[in-house]
Amino acid sequence: MTASFFWLASYPKSGSTWLRAFLQNLLTKSPEPASINDLTTGAIASARNWIDDLLGFDTADLYRNEVARLRPESYRFASTVASGPQYFKIHDANVRVDGDRRLIDLNATAGALYLIRNPLDVAISLANHNGCSIDRAIDLMADAGHCLSPHANDRLHNQVEQRLLTWSSHVESWVDDPELETEVLRYEDMGTKPQHAFAAAAAFLRIQTDPANIDRAIRHSQFEGLKAQEERDSFRERSTHSSRFFRKGLIGDWKRTLTRSQINRIVDQHGTVMARFGYLDSGGDPWIG
Amino acid sequence: MEQGRHRYFAFGLTLASDLRLPEFTEALHIGDAEVDIRAGAVPSSGAEIGARIGPFVCATKNMLWLRVPGVARFLVRDGREITYAVEATADESSLRVFMLGSCIGALLLQRGQLVLHGNAFEVADGCVICVGTSGAGKSTLAARMLQRGHRILADDVCPIDMEARAVPGLPRLKLWQDAARRLKIGTDGLRRIRPSLDKFDVPLDGMYCDEPLPIRAIYLLRPWNEPRLLSEPVIGLAKYPALRANSYRFRFLKGMGEEPRHLAQCSRLAARVPIARVHRPKSGFDVDGLADLILEDLACRPAS
């Protein structure tokens, strides 16, 4: 059995849709930019329908611990019948479920491309996405118990519960996993040195391609193009709390938007991981660039 | 009649069961039942039954093995038998949830029936089927239609006969507490579908339609992030993928090697029944707006 799944792992609002748009354009080689509403690569791992289909019964009728326990089995099975490499977006932290069982089954996994973005900018984007204050977003990023689509006993989400941990723990859960082949892709590098960043991503994902195709895929997935598509066609993955999914996409927006106290809180909470990935200068201050 | 066996009627079938199934209508008939449900030996692995089509499902044309870990293993055979083996200390409600969903669905598929993942309710001159993914709002809509005086034929597992009629399923709706609260349906005294889930069996009592009804239209419920409701017809070749995507446990059908039959059944249905996609806002579920939209859409269509 050859492990066939690549996980496109990220904390929310770190550019995974941008990456998926790039991959879609890279793989389809279409002369026109791919539609943002037709990103067939990187279906999210937490999609309830996908898991239900694999299991043959409804996760809606399961308890929280049952869903968590059965997810690894679903991925493992799906990987055994996959016809080639497949790419799945995932926001879960790389956690263990049910004692010591991995959520991401190693037998199913070829590797994880971890997308990281400066948490100072993530906080702004997350606040917009959730329709909450920036301070609340900063709280969430520091909350080890934070979950997306939290399991509720009295209603249903179209995704199953995803444990995020804190922003720092999320990063470390993926990139420090000694058993997992990982590659880190910085959001900032996708913007400032796209050829290099996207070529490295494509190589890690074992996608046979050439520089011209990568250039074309980069052009077709440029932020302004995605934003124009959303203005024209709307975007089905937009949060209902937010009027736009593709909002600013800026690198370093925090310099204009965050207060000194908000910056300090994020640096206090996540400074170690920020320094490691080049988001702090040698003096421990946010890197202005 | 064998002692200790309960007799029921649903899905157009007579069933005999050693397990009490309070979700079903008791049948008064005597004589052989078409379906037999009983506890028995079910292999701990499905490998000897057939090809593995899921982490917990194996199937051949006439047999399906399903395991719900911690609850039960099931063997569904020849469209006539469901054998169950309870795992550990699973309770009867939990056992029934999966038996009355996936297992009955598999049994109907083995009987060559087309089965949609949706709810059916009565309208003038027939019925409407609403299909969609889990969480699309099918049961909430059906519960609201029930409150507005429409009889219910089926909830979740919706079989369709050769005459493009919806076949009555179970006389209940499964409803989340949250939806019940919004519809002001009291849940005191209602049976939970599983002991620790706030999801209830709402009995239909006199509002269950126990006869097949011609399908006037099929609506695909699609929550979206726009603030308005919108209906758009699904026409021509687009009808097949729409029906396929909303077929009950299409994975089972594939495992049974019944895709060609399913395609033919969908094609026949698509030729006879209009299909429309109905988008509704994800936030602030305006269930009456959705119900009105469907009934208005229907009013513009001639009865067949």
Side-chain angles (χ1 to χ4, degrees):
Chain A
M1 181 175 70
T2 309
S4 56
F5 285 1
F6 283 98
W7 304 100
L8 311 176
S10 65
Y11 197 86
K13 308 314 293 174
S14 299
S16 64
T17 304
W18 183 10
L19 173 65
R20 287 164 59 216
F22 165 77
L23 285 177
Q24 179 83 9
N25 281 298
L26 187 70
L27 293 166
T28 59
K29 300 179 184 168
S30 159
E32 296 300 318
S35 164
I36 52 173
N37 287 311
D38 189 27
L39 301 180
T40 52
T41 60
I44 194 156
S46 47
R48 185 179 297 281
N49 285 335
W50 183 42
I51 300 170
D52 287 2
D53 171 48
L54 289 162
L55 290 175
F57 48 88
D58 290 343
T59 50
D61 294 330
L62 298 177
Y63 299 142
R64 169 193 236 141
N65 61 341
E66 292 173 330
V67 179
R69 198 181 303 144
L70 297 183
R71 283 179 67 190
E73 306 272 3
S74 303
Y75 303 142
R76 184 177 185 143
F77 175 80
S79 79
T80 63
V81 293
S83 54
Q86 294 191 4
Y87 313 99
F88 292 98
K89 168 178 167 173
I90 185 165
H91 283 323
D92 295 83
N94 177 24
V95 293
R96 310 279 169 145
V97 296
D98 196 26
D100 202 33
R101 188 83 209 265
R102 283 173 166 276
L103 172 64
I104 298 312
D105 191 293
L106 287 179
N107 288 304
T109 301
L113 180 62
Y114 190 79
L115 195 49
I116 189 170
R117 184 184 187 188
N118 190 338
L120 297 166
D121 283 339
V122 171
I124 302 167
S125 190
L126 187 64
N128 188 270
H129 184 79
N130 289 359
C132 69
S133 68
I134 289 175
D135 285 309
R136 171 70 184 143
I138 294 170
D139 289 343
L140 291 175
M141 292 167 67
D143 178 1
H146 183 40
C147 292
L148 287 185
S149 308
H151 185 91
N153 264 355
D154 68 344
R155 71 192 72 192
L156 196 67
H157 295 287
N158 63 0
Q159 288 184 36
V160 298
E161 178 176 280
Q162 302 143 71
R163 285 184 66 200
L164 294 187
L165 310 178
T166 67
W167 179 85
S168 293
S169 302
H170 190 281
V171 177
E172 290 168 334
S173 76
W174 284 100
V175 304
D176 292 340
D177 186 329
E179 296 179 289
L180 207 57
E181 194 189 343
T182 52
E183 168 89 2
V184 175
L185 176 60
R186 289 169 87 250
Y187 180 95
E188 293 74 17
D189 293 343
M190 289 160 66
T192 58
K193 38 183 175 178
Q195 277 77 11
H196 176 80
F198 283 114
F204 177 75
L205 298 173
R206 323 252 204 286
I207 297 171
Q208 303 281 334
T209 187
D210 56 64
N213 195 24
I214 288 183
D215 282 348
R216 191 190 41 75
I218 289 169
R219 275 198 316 279
H220 285 178
S221 54
Q222 273 172 346
F223 188 85
E224 290 307 321
L226 304 180
K227 187 174 172 179
Q229 276 198 50
E230 180 175 22
E231 281 168 17
R232 193 181 65 230
D233 304 329
S234 185
F235 181 38
R236 66 182 183 192
E237 295 179 35
R238 173 178 61 77
S239 151
T240 52
H241 301 298
S242 165
S243 59
R244 285 278 169 76
F245 184 93
F246 299 103
R247 203 177 46 93
K248 291 184 185 169
L250 296 175
I251 297 167
D253 191 25
W254 61 271
K255 284 173 265 183
R256 283 174 295 279
T257 308
L258 297 189
T259 65
R260 173 45 63 186
S261 136
Q262 288 169 334
I263 293 168
N264 289 346
R265 280 179 65 207
I266 294 172
V267 174
D268 284 349
Q269 286 153 353
H270 306 295
T272 306
V273 175
M274 288 176 74
R276 186 173 159 194
F277 291 94
Y279 298 123
L280 296 183
D281 63 22
S282 55
D285 291 318
W287 195 74
I288 302 291
Chain B
M1 181 165 112
E2 205 178 323
Q3 283 247 314
R5 298 190 62 72
H6 306 274
R7 297 280 177 155
Y8 301 105
F9 187 81
F11 302 102
L13 299 167
T14 52
L15 304 96
S17 169
D18 62 0
L19 184 69
R20 205 174 72 81
L21 302 169
E23 295 83 356
F24 279 75
T25 306
E26 297 264 0
L28 300 172
H29 79 284
I30 47 174
D32 289 340
E34 290 157 291
V35 177
D36 188 63
I37 299 174
R38 65 176 70 220
V42 177
S44 55
S45 155
E48 59 193 82
I49 303 298
R52 206 158 167 239
I53 59 167
F56 305 105
V57 200
C58 296
T60 61
K61 188 173 187 320
N62 296 313
M63 269 202 282
L64 185 126
W65 177 94
L66 175 73
R67 177 170 177 233
V68 182
V71 177
R73 298 184 305 281
F74 301 95
L75 190 59
V76 185
R77 192 158 30 192
D78 299 325
R80 291 189 45 80
E81 293 171 28
I82 299 176
T83 309
Y84 61 91
V86 177
E87 293 198 348
T89 53
D91 57 279
E92 279 194 11
S93 323
S94 298
L95 174 66
R96 292 200 307 271
V97 165
F98 301 101
M99 180 186 289
L100 304 185
S102 296
C103 295
I104 287 285
L107 182 121
L108 294 167
L109 295 176
Q110 287 174 351
R111 296 182 77 89
Q113 200 135 27
L114 176 63
V115 184
L116 293 184
H117 183 204
N119 294 26
F121 55 83
E122 187 179 26
V123 293
D125 303 317
C127 72
V128 155
I129 300 180
C130 291
V131 297
T133 55
S134 292
K138 301 185 296 290
S139 293
T140 305
L141 175 65
R144 187 68 191 124
M145 297 314 284
L146 171 71
Q147 289 178 317
R148 289 171 60 155
H150 297 260
R151 291 192 299 167
I152 306 294
L153 284 91
D155 174 36
D156 213 36
V157 180
C158 185
I160 291 161
D161 69 12
M162 294 293 282
E163 281 85 49
R165 295 180 306 178
V167 177
L170 297 177
R172 62 102 185 256
L173 282 176
K174 289 196 291 185
L175 206 59
W176 291 99
Q177 174 76 68
D178 178 58
R181 195 182 301 123
R182 276 187 280 123
L183 296 175
K184 299 186 170 55
I185 295 174
T187 53
D188 288 351
L190 293 186
R191 191 172 50 232
R192 282 183 153 75
I193 67 157
R194 294 187 72 189
S196 300
L197 275 189
D198 291 337
K199 192 178 183 184
F200 297 88
D201 265 337
V202 179
L204 298 176
D205 301 322
M207 293 301 283
Y208 172 59
C209 175
D210 63 359
E211 55 181 345
L213 291 180
I215 303 163
R216 293 277 317 277
I218 296 173
Y219 292 94
L220 320 176
L221 300 191
R222 282 280 184 87
W224 70 351
N225 51 22
E226 298 295 319
R228 65 189 196 284
L229 288 156
L230 178 75
S231 166
E232 53 181 8
V234 177
I235 52 176
L237 293 176
K239 281 177 148 183
Y240 172 66
L243 290 174
R244 175 184 148 138
N246 291 286
S247 291
Y248 194 77
R249 307 269 179 260
F250 187 75
R251 179 171 294 270
F252 291 2
L253 269 169
K254 273 172 71 176
M256 293 162 60
E258 292 287 7
E259 278 177 279
R261 183 194 80 201
H262 175 259
L263 172 61
Q265 287 174 323
C266 288
S267 303
R268 271 201 303 276
L269 185 63
R272 292 178 69 160
V273 175
I275 303 178
R277 190 172 287 114
V278 179
H279 300 275
R280 62 137 180 116
K282 269 184 198 164
S283 56
F285 188 175
D286 173 14
V287 64
D288 273 309
L290 179 62
D292 291 342
L293 180 75
I294 286 174
L295 294 176
E296 283 161 20
D297 181 90
L298 207 60
C300 300
R301 298 178 185 279
S304 52

